[in-house]
Amino acid sequence: MASSRVGEHPDRQEVRMTVAVLRDGARDSAVRLREKDSPTEVLTGAGLVPGLAEALAATFES
């Protein structure tokens, strides 16, 4: 399985991410490498983690 190979790769890096989705459709996200523990090393934008944002948005559907 590919995901197990990724987790064992010697060059792997941990990331931390936050994704927010509002009921009105607004989205935002922030991602940084764990080793870059600095406010200036954070990527931000609505489309950084689209799959997770879609999954969160789906929780608003009834």
Side-chain angles (χ1 to χ4, degrees), residues 37-38 42 57:
D37 196 15
S38 167
V42 177

Side-chain angles (χ1 to χ4, degrees), residues 16 18 28-33 38-45 48:
R16 293 188 174 170
T18 301
D28 205 3
S29 51
V31 178
R32 74 169 171 82
L33 293 172
S38 167
T40 61
E41 299 286 338
V42 177
L43 297 173
T44 59
L48 293 178

Side-chain angles (χ1 to χ4, degrees), residues 6 8 10 15 17 28 36 42 44 49 54:
V6 170
E8 296 170 359
V15 297
M17 68 180 82
D28 205 3
K36 305 284 186 178
V42 177
T44 59
V49 192
E54 287 297 321

